[in-house]
Amino acid sequence: MKSNLAAIFLCLWVMIACSDHSFKEGKYFAGGKYVTAETLNKGKMTYTEYCMACHGVNGDGKGLSAKGLVPPPRDFTLGLYKFGQVVSGELPSDQDFKHIIKTGLNGTGMLAWDMSDEQMDSVIQYIKTFAPAAWEGKDKKIGEAIVVTPDPFGEAHKSAAIERGKEVYHITGQCQTCHRAYVSKEELSAMNKKINNQAITDFDANLYEVKSQDSQHNVKTVPPDFTWHSVRSAKSVDELYVRIAAGIGGTAMPSWKDTITNEDIWAVSHYIRYLMDMKDTPAREELIKRLQ
Ligand code: HEC
Ligand code: HEC
């Protein structure tokens, strides 16, 4: 009997010892940040409790609750993130991760999480361990934070911003090549005549449809119709400014920071906010009907 018990304890000890994947050493991450083994182990506990169901035991986004989620949970093994306040493709800061986890992503399975600062900081460090090639090593760099400049329009000149934003959206930026257009063909042609001194005679057949795009996240991503779909990472004009300047990492949505002027980024941010305000209103129905 006694030896049976001893054998059982020995078995248990072996099982526990062999399944102990805890961190024994700290790690250096991008930006020269050193994180202790203790922090990583705490982060793993928080992750297992709150995040694993969707993001998966291996961080690959294939957790048990991930089935059927559109968009799917982020695959952390790619080391590629969408919504940092950095030019798309660059590594986000801890502050960016914190913002995303605290705020959640509108209209997705990624809800807002309320946790202690210690849990928050440790889980952020832990998710980096899924992508060692991107994060590990003192030489790796975090992207430079996009600075929100003062809004040149503000509330006082909001309608001028929206008017200019409409031109930036449809002519300067051609956002409708992926997203959809929100003006009639006559209006589009007139705007092009005003800006480029040339009328448009040839229109895309799918001018009023959103065009699904390939992404490096191994899924197609849909450019939102701003009067209908959720904008994931932004509600205010300031947040839209950040997103449009930054782009969306690993997707077709480019960074507009050095492509259009700063003033035009602000103008188109006001215009997108104006489109978002149309959601669920009769004005949207009228507009959509008029453009069919
Ligand atoms: C119910 C499922 C679910 C749970 C639970 C969940 N997430 Fe997510 N998470 C998602 C989805 C879905 C996305 C992708 C949204 C998108 O692509 O627009 C996501 C995206 C993310 C991103 C990527 C942001 C970016 O910029 O690319 C981070 C970081 C993240 N989650 C962290 C966490 C952490 C930390 C936890 C636990 C505290 C957690 N998530 C729990 C579903 C979940
Ligand atoms: C080459 C294709 C492409 C072009 C051009 C493009 N976008 Fe996008 N955009 C996308 C895709 C794809 C998404 C969705 C990415 C995702 O959430 O996975 C997106 C998403 C967005 C979002 C939503 C961000 C969020 O947090 O959900 C905004 C705002 C946006 N685009 C603004 C613009 C503006 C303004 C322009 C023109 C100046 C533009 N886009 C041009 C492909 C494009």
Side-chain angles (χ1 to χ4, degrees):
M1 189 63 192
K2 252 199 180 143
S3 66
N4 264 355
L5 261 184
I8 289 170
F9 276 120
L10 183 70
C11 270
L12 271 177
W13 183 81
V14 169
M15 273 167 65
I16 291 167
C18 294
S19 66
D20 178 14
H21 296 303
S22 64
F23 294 91
K24 306 283 187 303
E25 284 172 16
K27 287 179 192 294
Y28 276 101
F29 287 136
K33 184 177 176 117
Y34 181 73
V35 179
T36 63
E38 194 195 349
T39 298
L40 294 173
N41 288 321
K42 277 192 187 139
K44 185 175 178 176
M45 272 169 60
T46 305
Y47 182 85
T48 307
E49 193 174 347
Y50 298 141
C51 325
M52 195 171 85
C54 288
H55 291 283
V57 64
N58 301 316
D60 57 6
K62 298 197 172 73
L64 288 174
S65 308
K67 283 204 188 88
L69 284 188
V70 180
R74 187 73 63 257
D75 175 351
F76 293 134
T77 67
L78 299 174
L80 193 61
Y81 312 89
K82 287 188 189 174
F83 300 112
Q85 192 169 332
V86 292
V87 168
S88 71
E90 299 197 348
L91 291 178
S93 66
D94 287 1
Q95 194 51 43
D96 290 346
F97 278 128
K98 190 170 172 180
H99 180 73
I100 293 160
I101 299 166
K102 264 195 144 158
T103 320
L105 295 166
N106 308 319
T108 80
M110 181 63 196
L111 304 177
W113 293 89
D114 189 12
M115 51 176 90
S116 72
D117 284 351
E118 194 190 27
Q119 282 179 312
M120 179 66 84
D121 181 60
S122 59
V123 81
I124 290 168
Q125 306 315 321
Y126 177 66
I127 59 179
K128 296 176 185 173
T129 66
F130 291 124
W135 286 100
E136 285 183 28
K138 289 183 199 172
D139 54 322
K140 301 273 166 46
K141 296 230 174 354
I142 306 269
E144 207 177 301
I146 289 186
V147 178
V148 182
T149 61
D151 177 355
F153 300 97
E155 274 302 302
H157 303 282
K158 201 166 135 181
S159 47
I162 293 169
E163 269 317 295
R164 174 62 193 154
K166 193 197 257 189
E167 293 173 354
V168 175
Y169 184 94
H170 293 95
I171 308 294
T172 321
Q174 306 259 324
C175 310
Q176 73 275 13
T177 52
C178 294
H179 298 267
R180 55 162 295 167
Y182 298 95
V183 295
S184 68
K185 291 174 180 163
E186 295 73 41
E187 228 181 315
L188 192 62
S189 182
M191 282 197 291
N192 202 53
K193 191 131 200 245
K194 178 182 159 202
I195 294 167
N196 296 325
N197 207 14
Q198 202 173 14
I200 302 176
T201 45
D202 230 7
F203 297 94
D204 284 343
N206 50 9
L207 190 60
Y208 299 120
E209 288 159 31
V210 292
K211 282 124 304 224
S212 172
Q213 304 287 316
D214 286 329
S215 82
Q216 293 168 25
H217 298 276
N218 303 322
V219 284
K220 292 245 180 194
T221 56
V222 181
D225 171 345
F226 304 103
T227 67
W228 181 255
H229 298 108
S230 298
V231 169
R232 316 244 197 262
S233 68
K235 285 202 171 106
S236 66
V237 174
D238 284 21
E239 289 169 326
L240 285 164
Y241 171 90
V242 168
R243 185 55 43 224
I244 293 164
I248 302 182
T251 79
M253 172 67 191
S255 157
W256 291 91
K257 196 167 155 278
D258 297 317
T259 313
I260 59 179
T261 67
N262 193 49
E263 185 165 310
D264 279 351
I265 297 181
W266 276 111
V268 80
S269 302
H270 278 278
Y271 181 60
I272 302 284
R273 181 61 251 187
Y274 158 83
L275 293 172
M276 286 163 72
D277 284 338
M278 273 194 179
K279 198 172 177 178
D280 298 329
T281 66
R284 177 193 191 256
E285 269 165 54
E286 271 162 43
L287 176 74
I288 301 302
K289 220 182 273 160
R290 185 161 67 81
L291 298 179
Q292 264 162 8

